[in-house]
Amino acid sequence: MDKGKKERINNHSIVLKGTPIFTQANFAFVLSLVLFIILLLSSINYTTGTIKPVMFGLALTNGVFTLFQWFITRKIKKDILADGFVKKSTRRFGYIQIIGLLAGNLFVVVFSFQLVKKEPTAEYIFACYMILTQLVMIALSALNVFKPYVTDLFPISMLAMFVLTGIQIAVLIIIARYVDQDRLSRKMLFLLIPLILITLTGNIFAVLIALGLLVKVNKHYNPKTGKWDEIWGIITRNSTAMLGMFFIVLMFSISVVSLFTFDYAMAIENNYSAILQQPTLEYPLGTDNFGRDVYSRMIFGARISLVVGIASTLVPAIIGGILGALAGYYSEKADNIIMRLLDVLYAVPGLLLAIAIIAAFGANTVNLIIALSVGSIPTYARTMRANVLMVSNYEFVDAARALGTGDREIIFRYIVPNSLSPMIVKATLTIGTAVIATSSLSYLGLGVEPHIPEWGNILKVGSTFLETHSYVAIFPGFAIIALVLSFNFLGDALRDALDPKVD
Amino acid sequence: MSHTQTIERDSPQFIKRIQYTYNKMHHRPMYLYALFILGLPVYIFTFIFYLFRKKDDTYAKLKKELEDELHGSEYSRQMLEEFKKQIRDKKAFFNETIDEQEINTLARSWTDEQINQEIAQRVDEQLKILGKEKQTYFRFMYHLLGKPLFVYLTLIPGFLMYGLIYIYSNPFVKYIFDRLLMTVFVIMGVIIFVFTVLYISPFDPAANILGETATKEQIAKFNTIHGLDKSYIFQLFDSIKGIFTFNLGLSFEGNEDVAESIMNRFPITMKLAVISLVMAMIIAIPIGIISATMPNSFLDYSFMFIALIGLSIPNFWQGLIFILMFAIKLQWLPATFNPANALSMIMPIIVLGTALTASVARMTRSSMLEIIHEDYMMTAKSKGLSNRQVLWKHAIRNAMIPIITVIGLLFAGMLGGAAVTEKVFNISGIGSYIVDKQFIPDIPSIMAGVVYVAITISLVNVIIDIMYAFFDPRIRSKMKEY
């Protein structure tokens, strides 16, 4: 290859990488391809050598969308290299890809939402994901139709969810037409009413939209919120982060909605007439050795994994944060005492410390949260201390002190808010670890009580039937990985967006 | 103050060194207390001697004279008025209420402070002119330590003190000594913490082991055998002694010697952990370097995606899937661990090392990317080094420092996580031992297991820190600063 050509290609790749829509198109294509291959492989029945017609049809439909996605990606590349922007005619292809929703190909749908809008705002993208979350939630709940019986609230909740979807689509259209990067008129605040209604179903995207709208309305008066747009702009352009956020919000809202659409009895009551069933429409993920529906158990398990994961991150983050802030702000003596005491906790591996604490106080959810929290206090304290040490040397702290502000006010009004971003990033990244630790301890029989549906507990049951009924162990594992991966994706994106200076 | 220059010229080298180090140590209160406790006989002797010698003291005389002269003079009165004016102006500026009483006291304290500073300064100046110095106990001791005769005479009673001074005269030895001392304190803290947690446990081991039918006498006897009837302090002291002498008595259940069963299980866990660690480093560091040298390429994305998945897989699930795939379906490897069969180690090692490999690869990448943008990399390139030379001589060597720290920290996590992996593969290591014992709860066994793991981790981290001190010139120069 001659040098000029090599250089040109190099320049091309730099141009393309600087264009988020192209990387997103590529990302959607790769994931869609992976989905196609997985579906294709699972459509073959290996024992008999035949093909499952429904699966195969689904795989082929996905194949078609994947092919079309490849075509769109090529077209975008051509447009950008020729004109520097994506043509309107290319953007129109996005409307075709939205049909991919019917084939369950979320990746191309998500991408096409971004393709059809020329300059997507963070609120627009959140609204798209909000609707997507709602639709997946309806689909997951609708699987209960095949059960012998449903809860009394099931029909009315399903109806309510359909109505909410309609409202969400209206919100999306309003946002797509009237909300742009600039300041927003105060009249648009009427959107807050439907958004609050949607929030009640646990759909956190609605909260983010509402906050975004509020920031836009008040933009000219408040310099503090100037970074909101910037941060979420970076995150919404990051496909993996949004995918992670989508899964987290989905788990969160399914934990809320499952209160109405799922029957808790299915998940905890023994049914000896249906022991260890293979996956069917009635039991989408089969049943365990007590005849409990694994699918319902997994849906209810999401709640515990999220609650324990988030609580055992928040508790040490707050305690460690306060200790770290005190150590960093006050004299060397206070610093030494606090940090040396925390070194003791730091010397014991978190999981062993948790085992020792649970050994002493018994296995239940509250003790589990305490046990997991104690071990991670020192890491948060160290992060916070390093930040506070850095921030307390800034001029605005000196200025505050010169004006006679008290120590407490300086710490909590000036230093802590300015040293939070590394803590947020660290907390997001460690929720995943906490989720893994929770299920690990449950697997060892040291976590949540065995009858309560929790992913580790389901896995523990499944591990005894690995040879004959491996699906009972495999599916909860996938759920754990997906949740942890989602938090890691989101954490990585937050780190890029907030760009904390301290490691 | 320039104390250091006055070392006696004609004394032997090591005496000078002791005197010099003593002077340096004097500035840290912690060291001062340690010296005082270790050299108590010498201190008592010299203190009596000092009281006799104190009578001739020009310093006190000079100070008294100056105090009489300055306090209450016109000069101090002017200063007082000046301060009062300043305070009043400030209050007026901020629109605060003016309280005469308050202003008076504040101005007076400022004046006193100022005058005292001035006195101290003038006394120092005059002493310098006279060729004498302020007579304090510390100066007295300092001079004595410079005299060979004194040192020889007090060598036996002050042996410990001189030992400490000698250790601290070498920055390397001091660093290692400090670090080890800190580790001992941390380990003591761990023992106290873990013991306290288990002590305040609401469970009754005796009732759990002897069953519900146990009589009061049986429970009392059980408690006496295992020392559970003693007070908290007594039991804690026994535990600390037991940990350091490897004599922890018998476990509650099965009456086995705790230290012995731990010694049997510890090597298995360590062997697995060390092999996993080596495997992780061999795989992860090259991957991290490759990713960093071509950032945002397809290869980089794929590696980092796989690493993130590796970080998100729960150990036990990965173990179960491996058993399902390689032991049950393909029947390549045995499902459970057997020390005699090397093949059975493969799966546990991979499972244990996955998360570590993923973290190290990510860490290597980010550390390398950070270093690539440093100024010295630009310098290296601009002096004409090839890319390969820059990478190997400058980038990788500097990037390794944070990576090794992270490996030390992750090793701790790995020993903790070993409990889960050991349970999955039925390995009789230290982790599964602790888990098995926790249902009773078998206090000595759990405590010994947790504490010995913590000791191992602390020692590994000490070794890493000491290695740094030898290899990293930046840390070395910082060390000499005291």
Side-chain angles (χ1 to χ4, degrees), chain A residues 133-191:
Chain A
T133 310
Q134 182 78 4
L135 292 177
V136 174
M137 222 151 64
I138 290 176
L140 289 177
S141 301
L143 273 174
N144 277 336
V145 173
F146 300 105
K147 292 254 177 345
Y149 59 91
V150 289
T151 54
D152 299 338
L153 287 171
F154 181 76
I156 188 141
S157 337
M158 286 305 273
L159 191 68
M161 285 215 281
F162 277 114
V163 173
L164 265 186
T165 316
I167 298 176
Q168 287 175 352
I169 291 173
V171 169
L172 171 70
I173 291 169
I174 295 172
I175 287 178
R177 298 208 100 183
Y178 301 108
V179 178
D180 52 20
Q181 310 290 357
D182 297 328
R183 204 173 150 234
L184 204 61
S185 100
R186 200 158 267 280
K187 281 182 213 151
M188 291 297 279
L189 285 184
F190 77 91
L191 277 178

Side-chain angles (χ1 to χ4, degrees), chain B residues 209-313:
Chain B
I209 287 177
L210 301 173
E212 280 172 15
T213 51
T215 59
K216 267 196 182 135
E217 289 76 37
Q218 277 176 311
I219 290 180
K221 195 179 161 216
F222 179 90
N223 285 345
T224 337
I225 291 173
H226 293 285
L228 293 175
D229 51 348
K230 293 180 196 161
S231 69
Y232 168 76
I233 296 290
F234 216 83
Q235 285 188 46
L236 178 64
F237 182 72
D238 272 358
S239 306
I240 294 174
K241 205 174 74 186
I243 291 281
F244 286 109
T245 55
F246 296 101
N247 175 20
L248 289 146
L250 302 174
S251 67
F252 291 173
E253 197 186 28
N255 271 343
E256 341 157 299
D257 185 42
V258 173
E260 198 188 307
S261 21
I262 284 185
M263 284 308 133
N264 286 337
R265 285 149 180 273
F266 213 78
I268 299 174
T269 305
M270 281 306 284
K271 191 170 153 194
L272 284 176
V274 169
I275 298 177
S276 297
L277 187 74
V278 172
M279 181 203 79
M281 281 164 71
I282 291 174
I283 297 173
I285 293 177
I287 285 183
I289 293 173
I290 291 170
S291 284
T293 45
M294 36 179 122
N296 301 331
S297 63
F298 182 73
L299 200 63
D300 175 30
Y301 279 136
S302 319
F303 276 148
M304 287 306 116
F305 186 71
I306 295 170
L308 207 56
I309 289 183
L311 213 56
S312 311
I313 293 187

Side-chain angles (χ1 to χ4, degrees), chain A residues 22-50:
Chain A
F22 175 72
T23 45
Q24 282 159 358
N26 227 345
F27 181 77
F29 166 65
V30 171
L31 283 188
S32 175
L33 190 68
V34 170
L35 181 70
F36 166 64
I37 292 168
I38 289 174
L39 285 174
L40 198 66
L41 288 179
S42 58
S43 69
I44 303 166
N45 192 338
Y46 292 98
T47 43
T48 56
T50 51

Side-chain angles (χ1 to χ4, degrees), chain B residues 169-226:
Chain B
S169 65
N170 181 335
F172 279 103
V173 184
K174 167 187 180 289
Y175 179 77
I176 295 171
F177 184 77
D178 273 359
R179 198 67 190 71
L180 284 173
L181 206 66
M182 191 101 90
T183 310
V184 171
F185 276 113
V186 166
I187 290 169
M188 292 288 281
V190 170
I191 299 174
I192 294 172
F193 180 77
V194 176
F195 178 80
T196 311
V197 165
L198 291 170
Y199 181 84
I200 55 177
S201 153
F203 297 125
D204 184 6
N208 282 347
I209 287 177
L210 301 173
E212 280 172 15
T213 51
T215 59
K216 267 196 182 135
E217 289 76 37
Q218 277 176 311
I219 290 180
K221 195 179 161 216
F222 179 90
N223 285 345
T224 337
I225 291 173
H226 293 285

Side-chain angles (χ1 to χ4, degrees), chain A residues 17 344 346-349 359-360 362 440 443-444 446 459 463 466-467 470 473-474 477 480-481 484-485 488-489 492, chain B residues 182 186 189-190 193 197 201-203 296 305 308 312-314 316-317 320 324 328 362 409 412 420 423 438 450 453 457:
Chain A
K17 265 170 198 151
V344 170
Y346 201 63
V348 189
S440 300
Y443 175 78
L444 292 177
L446 297 169
L459 235 163
S463 68
L466 206 56
E467 224 162 320
S470 49
I474 289 177
I480 297 170
I481 294 179
V484 176
L485 206 55
N488 283 337
F489 279 147
D492 275 357
Chain B
M182 191 101 90
V186 166
V190 170
F193 180 77
V197 165
S201 153
F203 297 125
N296 301 331
F305 186 71
L308 207 56
S312 311
I313 293 187
F316 58 100
W317 189 77
L320 289 176
L324 183 65
I328 296 176
R362 272 162 66 93
L409 296 177
V420 184
K423 283 309 262 186
Q438 63 83 31
V450 175
V453 170
I457 291 166

Side-chain angles (χ1 to χ4, degrees), chain B residues 376-395:
Chain B
Y376 55 75
M377 292 296 286
M378 187 65 85
T379 314
K381 267 183 215 155
S382 59
K383 77 179 181 191
L385 290 184
S386 71
N387 269 340
R388 179 190 292 239
Q389 278 170 313
V390 173
L391 188 73
W392 284 100
K393 278 207 86 162
H394 296 271

